[in-house]
C-alpha cells in the first residue's frame, strides 16, 4: 500500500492518462474556477516539465511542475493543493521535493511566480523576493528565487 502523502516525480511521457487528466482537472478547478481566472492553463510547457505530485488512488492531492529555463535556471510553477487537503502540509512537501530535486542536479537558481499572499510561505522555504511585482490575471504576484 502506497503512503498517501508520497511525493511522485514523473516526466510527461511517464504520466498515465488518468494521472494527466487528474492533474489538469485539479489545475482547472483551482486556478480557473476557484480563483475565477479564465486563462489558458494548457500552455505547451507540460511536455517539457517534470511533474511533482501527491496522489491517493485517482485523486491528485497536490501538484507542481519544474521547468528548466535558460542557462542554470529552473522554474517551479502551477503549485496547487486540492481544497480538501489544504491543512495537511502538502504544499510544503511538494515544494521541498521540487527544490531538493533541482538541487540534486546542480547549483541552480530556482524561480517562482508567487501569488503575493503566499510570499511568507515561500520565504520559509528559502525564497527571496526579486523586487518584481505584477498582476497576473488580476491576482498580485511577485517573482521570488533561491540562488546557489
Amino acid at each position: 500500500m502506497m503512503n498517501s502523502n508520497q511525493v511522485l516525480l514523473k516526466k510527461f511521457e511517464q504520466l498515465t492518462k488518468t494521472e494527466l487528466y487528474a492533474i489538469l482537472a485539479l489545475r482547472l478547478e483551482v486556478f480557473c474556477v476557484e480563483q475565477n481566472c479564465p486563462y489558458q492553463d494548457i500552455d505547451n510547457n507540460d511536455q517539457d516539465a517534470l511533474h511533482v505530485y501527491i496522489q491517493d488512488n485517482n485523486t491528485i492531492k497536490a501538484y507542481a511542475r519544474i521547468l528548466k529555463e535558460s542557462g542554470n535556471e529552473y522554474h517551479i510553477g502551477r503549485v496547487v493543493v486540492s481544497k480538501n487537503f489544504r491543512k495537511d502540509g502538502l504544499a510544503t512537501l511538494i515544494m521541498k521535493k521540487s527544490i531538493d530535486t533541482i538541487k540534486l542536479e546542480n547549483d541552480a537558481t530556482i524561480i517562482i511566480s508567487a501569488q503575493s499572499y503566499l510570499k511568507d510561505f515561500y520565504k520559509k522555504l528559502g525564497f527571496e523576493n526579486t523586487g518584481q511585482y505584477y498582476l497576473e490575471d488580476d491576482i498580485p504576484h511577485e517573482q521570488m528565487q533561491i540562488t546557489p
Side-chain angles (χ1 to χ4, degrees):
M1 184 173 176
M2 180 172 61
N3 176 347
S4 63
N5 289 336
Q6 179 182 0
V7 181
L8 303 169
L9 294 153
K10 289 189 179 182
K11 294 179 181 178
F12 182 79
E13 56 275 359
Q14 294 172 315
L15 293 169
T16 67
K17 291 176 190 173
T18 302
E19 288 168 332
L20 180 59
Y21 185 89
I23 287 166
L24 295 175
L26 175 60
R27 288 177 7 190
L28 180 68
E29 173 187 325
V30 174
F31 297 135
C32 298
V33 177
E34 183 180 321
Q35 295 181 352
N36 196 26
C37 290
Y39 81 105
Q40 186 64 43
D41 177 55
I42 299 175
D43 59 2
N44 288 314
N45 287 319
D46 289 313
Q47 296 91 323
D48 299 320
L50 183 60
H51 302 271
V52 186
Y53 60 100
I54 297 171
Q55 180 179 1
D56 189 11
N57 294 318
N58 290 333
T59 300
I60 301 294
K61 296 164 80 173
Y63 171 84
R65 72 178 183 188
I66 300 170
L67 290 166
K68 177 139 176 42
E69 301 290 336
S70 61
N72 204 25
E73 292 183 351
Y74 289 78
H75 182 89
I76 300 172
R78 298 295 200 268
V79 181
V80 62
V81 177
S82 174
K83 195 175 199 173
N84 298 329
F85 304 103
R86 291 201 182 136
K87 301 292 183 193
D88 297 346
L90 301 184
T92 300
L93 283 175
I94 286 287
M95 287 302 297
K96 284 184 177 180
K97 183 67 170 185
S98 298
I99 293 164
D100 291 347
T101 299
I102 294 167
K103 286 184 175 181
L104 277 177
E105 294 295 317
N106 51 31
D107 288 331
T109 298
I110 304 170
I111 300 166
I112 59 169
S113 296
Q115 291 186 7
S116 294
Y117 81 96
L118 293 169
K119 68 182 172 189
D120 291 337
F121 166 75
Y122 289 115
K123 282 182 180 179
K124 289 177 187 172
L125 292 167
F127 286 92
E128 296 178 0
N129 194 296
T130 66
Q132 295 182 37
Y133 301 91
Y134 50 95
L135 280 179
E136 187 172 310
D137 300 312
D138 291 325
I139 298 174
H141 281 71
E142 46 198 83
Q143 188 180 68
M144 300 180 82
Q145 67 183 33
I146 295 175
T147 52

